[in-house]
Amino acid sequence: MEAPLLHLALVGTPNSGKTSLFNALTGSRQKVANYPGVTVERKEGFFVTPAGRQVSLVDLPGTYSLRGRSPDEEITRDMVLGRTPGEAVPDLILCVADATNLRLTIRLLLELKNTGRPMMLVLNMFDIAARRGVSVDVPKLSEALGVPVVTSIAVRKGGIAELLRRTDEIAAQEQTPAGPNRWQPLTASQLRATQREADRIINSAVTLPAKPDTWTAQIDAVVLHPVAGLFILALILFLMFQAVFAWAQPLMELLSSAFDALGQFVHDTLPEGLLQSFLQNGVISGVGSVIVFLPQIIIIFLFILLLEDFGYMARAAFLMDRIMGGAGLHGRAFIPLLSSFACAIPGIMATRVIDNRRDRLTTILIAPLMTCSARIPVYTLIISAFIPDRDVWGWFNLRGLVLFGLYAAGITSALGVSFLVKFFMLRDYAPAPFMLELPDYKLPRLKSIAIGVYTRAKMFLQRAGTTIFSMMVLIWFLASFPTAPAGAEGPAINYSLAAIIGKAIEPLLAPLGFNWQIAVALIPGMAAREVAVAALGTVYAIEGGKEAADQIGHVLATKWSLATALSLLVWYIFAPQCASTLAVIRRETGGWRWMAVTFFYMLALAYLASLATYNIAVALGAG
Amino acid sequence: MSEQTDIRTSQPLGLAKRGYSGVIQRLAVADAASALAGHELESRLIELGFVEGARVEVLHEGIVGRDPIAVRVENVTIALRRREAMAIIVA
Ligand SMILES: Nc1nc2c(ncn2[C@@H]2O[C@H](COP(=O)(O)OP(=O)(O)OP(=O)(O)O)[C@@H](O)[C@H]2O)c(=O)[nH]1
Ligand SMILES: [Mg+2]
């Protein structure tokens, strides 16, 4: 007889290693989806126990209690209590604890016991605990808590066998069903009592070393120093931007010449005609011009994932809290905003750790102003076409500096917008508290970083293969039809639908210095920013023939004035050109209103800033 | 108004300097001008381990107004603002 699917849920305080354990148990058999209604990632994985039982495992956001103060904590609470529609009540809760830091998790576990669900305590990070001289009397702890206790080293799959064996054991005892749910929100004095009880149990079963983690203390002495700490933070950010520009270059050139060769191959093998034009101009030069930026996207995600895994992000939030407070932002907003440098979508989703609704809303509104990786293709293309590759002050690269300036402009405008929101819209604002655990530093795990970078790269390529590809087909079609009448003068594209549409919008954008080719590229660029680069690639390729397709940068340099280029750069700092971001804002804020606010304020900013840039540049003689 | 005897040495953690170490005496949420309601602030502080008898040490301070502070509570490090730390009476 087939046993029914066993439902397991991972619960624990933040940073206790739930996701690592999830990965260790399920390997690649994971699927990521959204909880209905809210955009919180729902991670479910599957595995089979030694006894042959099918298990479904869900990874839940970290929490200190079941009170559910913020959207992500509510997910955990509802899941544990079986209140999530369409989700099974977990048959077994795996309560994951950082073995070096048991106090808060044991208190959570005592609270979880009230739910009546069967439970097992997993003492994770047992390697670190052992190294640091924490010794745990596991049988005694298990007896005092009244739940089975196992140890594990999630990142090395240590202890997994025992965990699975115990799971089978618990699953086999079907005659002892789950107890009744007696959980209710605890009052302060009950919380106190459970913490006391937890401390008492820990004292009886755990011996702690006299000294805390010296590594963490030594690193923090520098990294959290009021002055040196901020300097280091600025240095890290600066390094990140230089890396994105300088280190990625060789790889990008390699990719770029590969696509050129491919285009050339298609050109040489296929007969002149529609199919040749479609493959070479539409597909290869369009999609290729986006894929070229994969190295830069990998580098930016690599930096962010490394900082996250190391445990630096919480420190950055600590350093920036009061500084961002001046602009009406919460210290916790720093992490979502920093991830928005990679992509605004995970950034906006990460705002769910902010419990105060206003703080969260402000952060969501400004997250798209952070320079996401999709802007990199646009920036890089224009910068390399117009900004000379020169060293300034010895060791700074001028292009790197311009890129840094664009990032800085994004940050500054985000802070400005947040300040205005606080000042005009949320006047009666009392700063919500900032309380955050600073976890011990951990050596980043190559494997988990690799998994993270791989997933992001895959998402980028999938986008290139779907959204960008379909947009490119559209652009190619618009730019190729109708064909030029016989005996017409000038490039054929001038007679196409694209030209007709572009020229219709051109008057609107002409004050910004944009020509019709840019106008055409900006429309599909509403779907995703990098599409604009691909669209420009296609439009100019069809217009200019083969040599244009090879060197889109060179073509731009001859066709645009510096003022136009600068104006377009500035446009891209602000313009709301990403359909997915807007969709996520709508879901996260639960309505169209804030999505519309975001769209129009960013559009207005983009227009005004580009207008100013173009006119100033022209006045200075760059027209 | 029962702590007249230890009034000499007890103070809110919110006023403590870097390097201060002491033991939590009680939580006085009414004393903190926090945006949170008293019981909510109290619950959160307890959930982060700030209970009577816990050993605390101020490890780091921010640059603006020496705020926020990073506090070692037993063997966990918690960052919080001085405004909320005013609710934690230590000695
Ligand atoms: N040395 C060691 N490091 C671990 C172990 N388990 C997790 N880590 C590290 O601890 C950090 C946090 O692990 P995660 O799995 O992301 O923790 P989490 O519980 O999912 O965190 P949240 O989702 O933020 O609540 C990562 O840097 C892991 O590499 C372990 O058993 N040993
Ligand atoms: Mg996790």
Short mmCIF file of all heavy atoms in Angstrom, two decimals, chain A residues 369-424:
data_model
loop_
_atom_site.label_atom_id
_atom_site.label_comp_id
_atom_site.label_asym_id
_atom_site.label_seq_id
_atom_site.Cartn_x
_atom_site.Cartn_y
_atom_site.Cartn_z
N LEU A 369 14.29 52.60 -8.54
CA LEU A 369 15.27 53.64 -8.91
C LEU A 369 16.69 53.14 -8.72
O LEU A 369 17.64 53.72 -9.24
CB LEU A 369 15.06 54.89 -8.06
CG LEU A 369 13.88 55.77 -8.46
CD1 LEU A 369 13.74 56.92 -7.50
CD2 LEU A 369 14.05 56.29 -9.88
N MET A 370 16.86 52.07 -7.95
CA MET A 370 18.18 51.50 -7.81
C MET A 370 18.58 50.90 -9.15
O MET A 370 17.76 50.28 -9.83
CB MET A 370 18.16 50.39 -6.75
CG MET A 370 17.86 50.90 -5.38
SD MET A 370 19.22 51.92 -4.86
CE MET A 370 18.42 53.05 -3.79
N THR A 371 19.85 51.08 -9.50
CA THR A 371 20.28 50.66 -10.83
C THR A 371 20.33 49.14 -10.93
O THR A 371 21.28 48.53 -10.48
CB THR A 371 21.66 51.25 -11.11
OG1 THR A 371 21.56 52.66 -10.92
CG2 THR A 371 22.10 50.96 -12.51
N CYS A 372 19.31 48.56 -11.53
CA CYS A 372 19.26 47.10 -11.63
C CYS A 372 20.16 46.61 -12.76
O CYS A 372 20.60 47.39 -13.60
CB CYS A 372 17.83 46.64 -11.87
SG CYS A 372 17.20 47.12 -13.46
N SER A 373 20.40 45.32 -12.77
CA SER A 373 21.34 44.79 -13.75
C SER A 373 20.82 44.92 -15.19
O SER A 373 21.61 44.93 -16.12
CB SER A 373 21.66 43.33 -13.44
OG SER A 373 20.47 42.59 -13.30
N ALA A 374 19.52 45.04 -15.36
CA ALA A 374 18.99 45.18 -16.72
C ALA A 374 19.37 46.53 -17.34
O ALA A 374 19.32 46.69 -18.55
CB ALA A 374 17.48 45.02 -16.71
N ARG A 375 19.75 47.49 -16.48
CA ARG A 375 20.18 48.77 -17.05
C ARG A 375 21.60 48.68 -17.56
O ARG A 375 22.03 49.50 -18.36
CB ARG A 375 20.10 49.87 -15.99
CG ARG A 375 18.69 50.34 -15.69
CD ARG A 375 18.79 51.33 -14.56
NE ARG A 375 17.57 52.01 -14.21
CZ ARG A 375 16.78 51.64 -13.22
NH1 ARG A 375 17.07 50.56 -12.52
NH2 ARG A 375 15.71 52.34 -12.92
N ILE A 376 22.34 47.70 -17.05
CA ILE A 376 23.75 47.61 -17.40
C ILE A 376 23.98 47.54 -18.91
O ILE A 376 24.81 48.27 -19.44
CB ILE A 376 24.42 46.43 -16.66
CG1 ILE A 376 24.40 46.71 -15.16
CG2 ILE A 376 25.84 46.22 -17.13
CD1 ILE A 376 24.94 45.55 -14.34
N PRO A 377 23.22 46.70 -19.63
CA PRO A 377 23.43 46.67 -21.08
C PRO A 377 23.26 48.04 -21.72
O PRO A 377 24.08 48.43 -22.57
CB PRO A 377 22.33 45.72 -21.57
CG PRO A 377 22.02 44.85 -20.41
CD PRO A 377 22.24 45.69 -19.20
N VAL A 378 22.24 48.76 -21.29
CA VAL A 378 22.00 50.08 -21.88
C VAL A 378 23.15 51.02 -21.55
O VAL A 378 23.72 51.68 -22.41
CB VAL A 378 20.67 50.65 -21.35
CG1 VAL A 378 20.35 51.95 -22.06
CG2 VAL A 378 19.55 49.65 -21.51
N TYR A 379 23.49 51.06 -20.26
CA TYR A 379 24.56 51.95 -19.82
C TYR A 379 25.87 51.60 -20.53
O TYR A 379 26.56 52.47 -21.05
CB TYR A 379 24.77 51.82 -18.31
CG TYR A 379 23.70 52.49 -17.47
CD1 TYR A 379 23.69 52.34 -16.08
CD2 TYR A 379 22.72 53.29 -18.04
CE1 TYR A 379 22.73 52.94 -15.29
CE2 TYR A 379 21.75 53.90 -17.26
CZ TYR A 379 21.76 53.72 -15.89
OH TYR A 379 20.81 54.32 -15.11
N THR A 380 26.19 50.32 -20.52
CA THR A 380 27.46 49.90 -21.10
C THR A 380 27.54 50.27 -22.57
O THR A 380 28.55 50.80 -23.03
CB THR A 380 27.63 48.38 -20.97
OG1 THR A 380 27.28 47.99 -19.67
CG2 THR A 380 29.06 47.99 -21.24
N LEU A 381 26.47 50.00 -23.28
CA LEU A 381 26.46 50.28 -24.71
C LEU A 381 26.73 51.77 -24.96
O LEU A 381 27.61 52.13 -25.74
CB LEU A 381 25.09 49.90 -25.29
CG LEU A 381 24.92 50.23 -26.77
CD1 LEU A 381 25.82 49.34 -27.60
CD2 LEU A 381 23.47 50.06 -27.19
N ILE A 382 26.00 52.61 -24.26
CA ILE A 382 26.14 54.04 -24.53
C ILE A 382 27.48 54.57 -24.03
O ILE A 382 28.15 55.34 -24.71
CB ILE A 382 24.96 54.81 -23.91
CG1 ILE A 382 23.65 54.27 -24.48
CG2 ILE A 382 25.09 56.30 -24.18
CD1 ILE A 382 22.42 54.89 -23.90
N ILE A 383 27.86 54.10 -22.84
CA ILE A 383 29.14 54.57 -22.30
C ILE A 383 30.28 54.18 -23.22
O ILE A 383 31.13 55.00 -23.57
CB ILE A 383 29.37 54.02 -20.88
CG1 ILE A 383 28.42 54.69 -19.89
CG2 ILE A 383 30.81 54.26 -20.44
CD1 ILE A 383 28.54 54.18 -18.48
N SER A 384 30.30 52.93 -23.66
CA SER A 384 31.45 52.54 -24.48
C SER A 384 31.41 53.21 -25.84
O SER A 384 32.44 53.36 -26.48
CB SER A 384 31.58 51.03 -24.60
OG SER A 384 30.33 50.44 -24.74
N ALA A 385 30.22 53.66 -26.29
CA ALA A 385 30.17 54.35 -27.56
C ALA A 385 30.59 55.82 -27.43
O ALA A 385 31.14 56.39 -28.37
CB ALA A 385 28.78 54.26 -28.15
N PHE A 386 30.36 56.41 -26.28
CA PHE A 386 30.54 57.87 -26.20
C PHE A 386 31.60 58.34 -25.22
O PHE A 386 32.07 59.47 -25.32
CB PHE A 386 29.20 58.53 -25.85
CG PHE A 386 28.22 58.49 -26.99
CD1 PHE A 386 27.34 57.43 -27.11
CD2 PHE A 386 28.22 59.48 -27.96
CE1 PHE A 386 26.46 57.37 -28.17
CE2 PHE A 386 27.34 59.42 -29.02
CZ PHE A 386 26.46 58.36 -29.13
N ILE A 387 31.91 57.52 -24.24
CA ILE A 387 32.86 57.98 -23.23
C ILE A 387 34.23 57.38 -23.54
O ILE A 387 34.36 56.16 -23.68
CB ILE A 387 32.43 57.56 -21.81
CG1 ILE A 387 30.97 57.94 -21.55
CG2 ILE A 387 33.36 58.13 -20.76
CD1 ILE A 387 30.70 59.42 -21.46
N PRO A 388 35.26 58.23 -23.67
CA PRO A 388 36.58 57.69 -24.00
C PRO A 388 37.10 56.78 -22.89
O PRO A 388 36.83 57.00 -21.71
CB PRO A 388 37.45 58.94 -24.15
CG PRO A 388 36.69 60.05 -23.52
CD PRO A 388 35.25 59.68 -23.57
N ASP A 389 37.82 55.74 -23.30
CA ASP A 389 38.38 54.78 -22.35
C ASP A 389 39.70 55.34 -21.84
O ASP A 389 40.74 55.13 -22.43
CB ASP A 389 38.60 53.45 -23.08
CG ASP A 389 38.92 52.34 -22.11
OD1 ASP A 389 38.91 52.59 -20.90
OD2 ASP A 389 39.18 51.22 -22.58
N ARG A 390 39.64 56.04 -20.75
CA ARG A 390 40.81 56.79 -20.31
C ARG A 390 40.96 56.63 -18.81
O ARG A 390 39.98 56.48 -18.10
CB ARG A 390 40.57 58.26 -20.64
CG ARG A 390 41.85 59.02 -20.85
CD ARG A 390 41.62 60.43 -21.30
NE ARG A 390 40.74 61.20 -20.44
CZ ARG A 390 39.90 62.13 -20.90
NH1 ARG A 390 39.81 62.37 -22.17
NH2 ARG A 390 39.14 62.81 -20.08
N ASP A 391 42.20 56.69 -18.34
CA ASP A 391 42.40 56.66 -16.89
C ASP A 391 42.41 58.08 -16.35
O ASP A 391 42.95 58.98 -16.99
CB ASP A 391 43.73 55.98 -16.54
CG ASP A 391 43.60 54.46 -16.66
OD1 ASP A 391 42.46 53.97 -16.77
OD2 ASP A 391 44.64 53.79 -16.66
N VAL A 392 41.77 58.26 -15.23
CA VAL A 392 41.84 59.56 -14.58
C VAL A 392 42.41 59.40 -13.18
O VAL A 392 42.15 58.38 -12.53
CB VAL A 392 40.47 60.26 -14.53
CG1 VAL A 392 40.13 60.84 -15.88
CG2 VAL A 392 39.39 59.30 -14.08
N TRP A 393 43.11 60.37 -12.72
CA TRP A 393 43.76 60.34 -11.40
C TRP A 393 44.48 59.02 -11.19
O TRP A 393 44.35 58.38 -10.15
CB TRP A 393 42.75 60.52 -10.26
CG TRP A 393 41.90 61.71 -10.43
CD1 TRP A 393 42.27 62.94 -10.86
CD2 TRP A 393 40.49 61.79 -10.19
NE1 TRP A 393 41.20 63.77 -10.91
CE2 TRP A 393 40.09 63.09 -10.50
CE3 TRP A 393 39.54 60.88 -9.75
CZ2 TRP A 393 38.78 63.52 -10.38
CZ3 TRP A 393 38.24 61.29 -9.62
CH2 TRP A 393 37.87 62.61 -9.94
N GLY A 394 45.22 58.61 -12.20
CA GLY A 394 46.04 57.42 -12.00
C GLY A 394 45.30 56.12 -12.20
O GLY A 394 45.49 55.46 -13.20
N TRP A 395 44.42 55.77 -11.27
CA TRP A 395 43.91 54.40 -11.37
C TRP A 395 42.40 54.26 -11.49
O TRP A 395 41.88 53.17 -11.43
CB TRP A 395 44.44 53.53 -10.24
CG TRP A 395 44.20 54.12 -8.88
CD1 TRP A 395 44.83 55.19 -8.33
CD2 TRP A 395 43.27 53.67 -7.90
NE1 TRP A 395 44.35 55.43 -7.09
CE2 TRP A 395 43.40 54.51 -6.79
CE3 TRP A 395 42.34 52.62 -7.86
CZ2 TRP A 395 42.62 54.36 -5.65
CZ3 TRP A 395 41.57 52.47 -6.72
CH2 TRP A 395 41.72 53.34 -5.62
N PHE A 396 41.70 55.36 -11.72
CA PHE A 396 40.28 55.21 -12.00
C PHE A 396 40.06 55.22 -13.50
O PHE A 396 40.70 55.99 -14.22
CB PHE A 396 39.48 56.36 -11.39
CG PHE A 396 39.44 56.32 -9.90
CD1 PHE A 396 39.95 57.38 -9.17
CD2 PHE A 396 38.91 55.23 -9.25
CE1 PHE A 396 39.92 57.35 -7.79
CE2 PHE A 396 38.88 55.19 -7.87
CZ PHE A 396 39.39 56.26 -7.14
N ASN A 397 39.13 54.40 -13.94
CA ASN A 397 38.78 54.38 -15.33
C ASN A 397 37.62 55.34 -15.54
O ASN A 397 36.64 55.30 -14.80
CB ASN A 397 38.40 52.94 -15.71
CG ASN A 397 38.02 52.84 -17.15
OD1 ASN A 397 36.92 53.23 -17.54
ND2 ASN A 397 38.94 52.33 -17.94
N LEU A 398 37.72 56.18 -16.57
CA LEU A 398 36.69 57.20 -16.77
C LEU A 398 35.32 56.56 -16.99
O LEU A 398 34.31 57.00 -16.45
CB LEU A 398 37.05 58.09 -17.97
CG LEU A 398 36.06 59.24 -18.22
CD1 LEU A 398 35.99 60.17 -17.03
CD2 LEU A 398 36.42 60.01 -19.47
N ARG A 399 35.30 55.47 -17.76
CA ARG A 399 34.02 54.79 -18.00
C ARG A 399 33.45 54.24 -16.70
O ARG A 399 32.25 54.34 -16.45
CB ARG A 399 34.21 53.66 -19.00
CG ARG A 399 34.50 54.19 -20.39
CD ARG A 399 34.72 53.04 -21.34
NE ARG A 399 34.78 53.55 -22.70
CZ ARG A 399 35.03 52.78 -23.76
NH1 ARG A 399 35.23 51.49 -23.59
NH2 ARG A 399 35.08 53.30 -24.95
N GLY A 400 34.34 53.65 -15.90
CA GLY A 400 33.90 53.14 -14.60
C GLY A 400 33.33 54.27 -13.75
O GLY A 400 32.32 54.11 -13.07
N LEU A 401 33.98 55.42 -13.83
CA LEU A 401 33.52 56.57 -13.04
C LEU A 401 32.14 57.04 -13.49
O LEU A 401 31.28 57.35 -12.67
CB LEU A 401 34.51 57.73 -13.16
CG LEU A 401 35.70 57.71 -12.21
CD1 LEU A 401 36.52 58.97 -12.39
CD2 LEU A 401 35.23 57.60 -10.77
N VAL A 402 31.94 57.08 -14.81
CA VAL A 402 30.63 57.50 -15.31
C VAL A 402 29.57 56.51 -14.83
O VAL A 402 28.49 56.89 -14.36
CB VAL A 402 30.63 57.59 -16.85
CG1 VAL A 402 29.21 57.80 -17.38
CG2 VAL A 402 31.53 58.73 -17.30
N LEU A 403 29.90 55.23 -14.89
CA LEU A 403 28.96 54.21 -14.44
C LEU A 403 28.65 54.42 -12.96
O LEU A 403 27.50 54.38 -12.52
CB LEU A 403 29.54 52.82 -14.67
CG LEU A 403 28.55 51.69 -14.49
CD1 LEU A 403 27.50 51.72 -15.59
CD2 LEU A 403 29.25 50.34 -14.49
N PHE A 404 29.69 54.66 -12.20
CA PHE A 404 29.52 54.92 -10.77
C PHE A 404 28.60 56.13 -10.57
O PHE A 404 27.71 56.13 -9.72
CB PHE A 404 30.88 55.17 -10.12
CG PHE A 404 30.82 55.31 -8.63
CD1 PHE A 404 30.43 54.24 -7.85
CD2 PHE A 404 31.16 56.51 -8.01
CE1 PHE A 404 30.37 54.36 -6.47
CE2 PHE A 404 31.10 56.63 -6.64
CZ PHE A 404 30.70 55.56 -5.86
N GLY A 405 28.81 57.15 -11.41
CA GLY A 405 27.98 58.34 -11.32
C GLY A 405 26.50 58.02 -11.58
O GLY A 405 25.61 58.54 -10.89
N LEU A 406 26.25 57.15 -12.53
CA LEU A 406 24.87 56.78 -12.83
C LEU A 406 24.24 56.04 -11.65
O LEU A 406 23.09 56.28 -11.30
CB LEU A 406 24.82 55.90 -14.08
CG LEU A 406 25.14 56.63 -15.39
CD1 LEU A 406 25.39 55.64 -16.51
CD2 LEU A 406 24.00 57.56 -15.77
N TYR A 407 25.01 55.16 -11.05
CA TYR A 407 24.53 54.46 -9.86
C TYR A 407 24.25 55.47 -8.75
O TYR A 407 23.22 55.42 -8.09
CB TYR A 407 25.55 53.44 -9.38
CG TYR A 407 25.46 52.11 -10.06
CD1 TYR A 407 26.14 51.87 -11.24
CD2 TYR A 407 24.69 51.09 -9.52
CE1 TYR A 407 26.05 50.65 -11.88
CE2 TYR A 407 24.60 49.85 -10.15
CZ TYR A 407 25.28 49.64 -11.33
OH TYR A 407 25.19 48.43 -11.94
N ALA A 408 25.20 56.40 -8.57
CA ALA A 408 25.03 57.39 -7.51
C ALA A 408 23.78 58.23 -7.76
O ALA A 408 23.04 58.55 -6.83
CB ALA A 408 26.28 58.28 -7.44
N ALA A 409 23.54 58.57 -9.03
CA ALA A 409 22.36 59.36 -9.35
C ALA A 409 21.09 58.59 -8.98
O ALA A 409 20.13 59.16 -8.45
CB ALA A 409 22.35 59.72 -10.83
N GLY A 410 21.10 57.29 -9.26
CA GLY A 410 19.95 56.47 -8.89
C GLY A 410 19.72 56.49 -7.40
O GLY A 410 18.59 56.70 -6.92
N ILE A 411 20.80 56.32 -6.64
CA ILE A 411 20.67 56.28 -5.18
C ILE A 411 20.19 57.62 -4.65
O ILE A 411 19.26 57.70 -3.84
CB ILE A 411 22.03 55.93 -4.54
CG1 ILE A 411 22.48 54.54 -5.00
CG2 ILE A 411 21.95 55.99 -3.03
CD1 ILE A 411 23.90 54.21 -4.66
N THR A 412 20.83 58.70 -5.14
CA THR A 412 20.47 60.02 -4.65
C THR A 412 19.00 60.32 -4.93
O THR A 412 18.28 60.84 -4.06
CB THR A 412 21.34 61.10 -5.33
OG1 THR A 412 22.66 60.60 -5.43
CG2 THR A 412 21.32 62.39 -4.57
N SER A 413 18.55 59.99 -6.14
CA SER A 413 17.15 60.31 -6.45
C SER A 413 16.22 59.46 -5.59
O SER A 413 15.17 59.92 -5.17
CB SER A 413 16.88 60.11 -7.94
OG SER A 413 17.19 58.79 -8.30
N ALA A 414 16.63 58.21 -5.33
CA ALA A 414 15.79 57.36 -4.48
C ALA A 414 15.65 57.99 -3.09
O ALA A 414 14.55 58.07 -2.54
CB ALA A 414 16.39 55.97 -4.37
N LEU A 415 16.77 58.45 -2.55
CA LEU A 415 16.72 59.07 -1.23
C LEU A 415 15.86 60.33 -1.27
O LEU A 415 15.07 60.60 -0.36
CB LEU A 415 18.14 59.42 -0.74
CG LEU A 415 19.04 58.21 -0.48
CD1 LEU A 415 20.40 58.66 0.03
CD2 LEU A 415 18.40 57.25 0.51
N GLY A 416 16.01 61.10 -2.35
CA GLY A 416 15.22 62.32 -2.49
C GLY A 416 13.73 62.01 -2.52
O GLY A 416 12.93 62.65 -1.82
N VAL A 417 13.35 61.02 -3.31
CA VAL A 417 11.93 60.66 -3.42
C VAL A 417 11.41 60.22 -2.06
O VAL A 417 10.33 60.63 -1.63
CB VAL A 417 11.74 59.55 -4.47
CG1 VAL A 417 10.32 58.98 -4.39
CG2 VAL A 417 12.01 60.08 -5.86
N SER A 418 12.21 59.40 -1.39
CA SER A 418 11.77 58.92 -0.08
C SER A 418 11.59 60.08 0.90
O SER A 418 10.63 60.11 1.68
CB SER A 418 12.78 57.92 0.44
OG SER A 418 12.92 58.02 1.82
N PHE A 419 12.49 61.04 0.81
CA PHE A 419 12.39 62.21 1.68
C PHE A 419 11.09 62.97 1.40
O PHE A 419 10.37 63.36 2.32
CB PHE A 419 13.60 63.11 1.47
CG PHE A 419 13.61 64.31 2.37
CD1 PHE A 419 13.99 64.19 3.69
CD2 PHE A 419 13.21 65.55 1.89
CE1 PHE A 419 13.98 65.29 4.53
CE2 PHE A 419 13.19 66.66 2.73
CZ PHE A 419 13.58 66.52 4.04
N LEU A 420 10.80 63.14 0.12
CA LEU A 420 9.57 63.86 -0.25
C LEU A 420 8.33 63.09 0.21
O LEU A 420 7.37 63.69 0.69
CB LEU A 420 9.52 64.07 -1.77
CG LEU A 420 10.56 65.06 -2.31
CD1 LEU A 420 10.44 65.17 -3.82
CD2 LEU A 420 10.36 66.43 -1.66
N VAL A 421 8.37 61.79 0.06
CA VAL A 421 7.22 60.98 0.49
C VAL A 421 6.98 61.18 1.97
O VAL A 421 5.87 61.43 2.43
CB VAL A 421 7.47 59.48 0.19
CG1 VAL A 421 6.42 58.62 0.88
CG2 VAL A 421 7.45 59.23 -1.30
N LYS A 422 8.07 61.12 2.72
CA LYS A 422 7.95 61.28 4.17
C LYS A 422 7.43 62.68 4.50
O LYS A 422 6.58 62.85 5.37
CB LYS A 422 9.33 61.07 4.79
CG LYS A 422 9.39 61.34 6.27
CD LYS A 422 10.84 61.35 6.72
CE LYS A 422 10.97 61.85 8.14
NZ LYS A 422 12.36 62.18 8.47
N PHE A 423 7.92 63.64 3.75
CA PHE A 423 7.60 65.03 4.08
C PHE A 423 6.17 65.40 3.71
O PHE A 423 5.48 66.06 4.47
CB PHE A 423 8.59 65.94 3.35
CG PHE A 423 8.63 67.32 3.91
CD1 PHE A 423 9.30 67.56 5.10
CD2 PHE A 423 8.00 68.37 3.27
CE1 PHE A 423 9.35 68.81 5.64
CE2 PHE A 423 8.04 69.64 3.81
CZ PHE A 423 8.71 69.87 5.00
N PHE A 424 5.73 64.94 2.53
CA PHE A 424 4.43 65.40 2.06
C PHE A 424 3.30 64.41 2.30
O PHE A 424 2.18 64.79 2.58
CB PHE A 424 4.48 65.71 0.56
CG PHE A 424 5.26 66.95 0.26
CD1 PHE A 424 6.50 66.87 -0.35
CD2 PHE A 424 4.76 68.19 0.62
CE1 PHE A 424 7.23 68.01 -0.61
CE2 PHE A 424 5.49 69.33 0.36
CZ PHE A 424 6.73 69.24 -0.26
#
